[in-house]
Every structure is written in structure tokens, then in C-alpha cells.
Amino acid sequence: MARYNGPKTKISRIFGEPILGNGKWLGKNSNPPGMHGEKRKRKTLGEYALQLREKQKAKYTYGVLEKQFRKTFEEANRRKGITGENLIKLLEARLDNTVFRMGIAPSRPAARQLVSHKHIEVNGEVVNIPSYQLKAGDIITLKENSKNRSSITSVIRPKNPKFGWIDFNETEIKGTFITYPERESVPENIKEQLIVELYSK
């Protein structure tokens, strides 16, 4: 699957939930996409289809391509603990996702762009790899000369207090990745066990 750059509402309607954006139009039209979406009922999916759907949902949510997603899963499987929970922790520890969670960018695609365009520093060094895996104690900041760009600073918002695994100082535009989050703290509606079962076939 190539990185998706099409209509976000279309993806939300496929999954029946706002996995990309706020889904403000989802309530008005929750039918499947397509010309005959209103007449077409959602089918009862089989086991494999449900597992594949859940993987696709996770990939769309975090903006990860198949090869990278599989590598992340393999790393999650190598680590101690529950593989599915490890997978979510690793996805949450991506640099682009953390920039989004801190409130520096309004969305994951916007966060990925900030990282790719070298606006973000980790521990004082510019990192332009969105998939960069953060470790506990890593300090994330907006590059000094980027702090003067209103196109970047105007969209910065306060960090959601629910995200206790990261700290963010809005004034300094500086945050810390404190630790990997516990699964129950991550709000994404992803059934990671289905992904584990899919890759275990």
C-alpha cells in the first residue's frame, strides 16, 4: 500500500470511524464510499478479512507502509511482553507520531512533513526520519530558526493531558518522551490482537 494522499473522509467511511482527521462529515454520511454506497450494506466479514482490515486501519492511522509496518511488528515480536501491545508502543514512539501527540503539528501527516523538512531536533540534533524510534528521556524540540515561522507556530496547540507518557512545554516548544505508553492510555481504536493473528498465519 502506497502512502495514502486521497480524501480522508473516504477512508473514514470505509472503516466507519474517523481514523484520519476529525470525521466531522462521518455523522452526516456514514455509508460505504462509492456511487452505490447508500444502497450497499456492510458485509459481515470473515476472520481473515477482519484481521486484514485491522492491519490496514493501523497503517492508515499511523501513516506506515507495509514493509515498515512488518519490520515494526517483527521488532514487537522480538521484545518481551505482549506482541500486540509492543506493536502499539513502537508505533507511538515514532518521532512523527510524538510530534503530533505533543501538539507541535495538527495531524500525523503534518508532523511527518515537519520531520522530513528538518524542523525537528532530538537531543539537540536534527532528525529528518519520521519513523525514528524515540527512547525514554529523549528531548524533542522545534529547531531554533523554525520557531520564527508563523506557519509552523500558529498551529501549535497544548498537549492533551491524557498523553502522560510525554511532556511538553508550549512556551519553549520543547518536549520529552518519558516512556512507552501503556496500551489503555492510547486512544486509537485498533484491535492489535487481530494483527498478531494475521502475521502468525
Side-chain angles (χ1 to χ4, degrees):
M1 182 186 78
R3 184 162 287 121
Y4 183 75
N5 293 313
K8 296 179 180 178
T9 304
K10 179 179 179 181
I11 299 303
S12 295
R13 286 169 62 191
I14 288 173
F15 292 101
E17 55 186 279
I19 64 169
L20 293 176
N22 58 21
K24 60 182 178 181
W25 300 109
L26 193 58
K28 296 182 179 180
N29 188 358
S30 58
N31 297 314
M35 185 170 64
H36 303 292
E38 187 175 353
K39 299 176 183 178
R40 194 170 72 241
K41 293 183 179 179
R42 294 186 183 276
K43 296 179 181 179
T44 301
L45 301 176
E47 182 183 57
Y48 176 77
L50 284 171
Q51 294 165 350
L52 184 62
R53 182 187 179 97
E54 212 60 30
K55 183 188 74 167
Q56 296 292 66
K57 185 200 293 186
K59 286 164 60 179
Y60 276 122
T61 298
Y62 288 96
V64 183
L65 303 181
E66 176 60 35
K67 184 177 179 181
Q68 199 171 62
F69 192 85
R70 179 174 279 278
K71 284 180 64 178
T72 304
F73 177 83
E74 289 171 353
E75 175 61 27
N77 196 34
R78 278 194 294 268
R79 297 193 174 198
K80 293 180 179 179
I82 301 171
T83 300
E85 292 186 6
N86 288 344
L87 175 63
I88 297 298
K89 289 178 180 180
L90 290 171
L91 291 170
E92 283 291 325
R94 286 171 55 98
L95 178 57
D96 57 354
N97 182 74
T98 303
V99 168
F100 163 65
R101 290 290 194 209
M102 286 180 171
I104 298 174
S107 65
R108 288 185 179 92
R112 187 158 45 249
Q113 189 174 47
L114 280 181
V115 175
S116 298
H117 291 183
K118 301 182 178 181
H119 292 294
I120 302 296
E121 294 181 348
V122 178
N123 300 327
E125 299 289 335
V126 172
V127 176
N128 66 339
I129 304 171
S131 61
Y132 180 87
Q133 278 288 314
L134 294 167
K135 301 181 293 296
D138 280 348
I139 297 173
I140 301 93
T141 58
L142 190 63
K143 198 167 64 173
E144 199 59 39
N145 60 5
S146 299
K147 294 178 181 178
N148 299 320
R149 301 182 60 169
S150 60
S151 59
I152 296 175
T153 58
S154 63
V155 297
I156 293 175
R157 67 197 191 289
K159 179 186 77 71
N160 189 324
K162 293 180 181 178
F163 305 147
W165 64 92
I166 51 179
D167 182 49
F168 182 62
N169 185 312
E170 190 180 353
T171 304
E172 297 181 6
I173 315 181
K174 178 180 179 180
T176 304
F177 184 80
I178 301 171
T179 186
Y180 288 108
E182 294 301 319
R183 178 61 185 97
E184 58 268 21
S185 301
V186 179
E188 269 56 33
N189 181 28
I190 295 172
K191 299 178 179 67
E192 60 274 7
Q193 183 54 34
L194 291 178
I195 302 174
V196 175
E197 292 169 6
L198 176 67
Y199 279 126
S200 298
K201 288 183 181 296

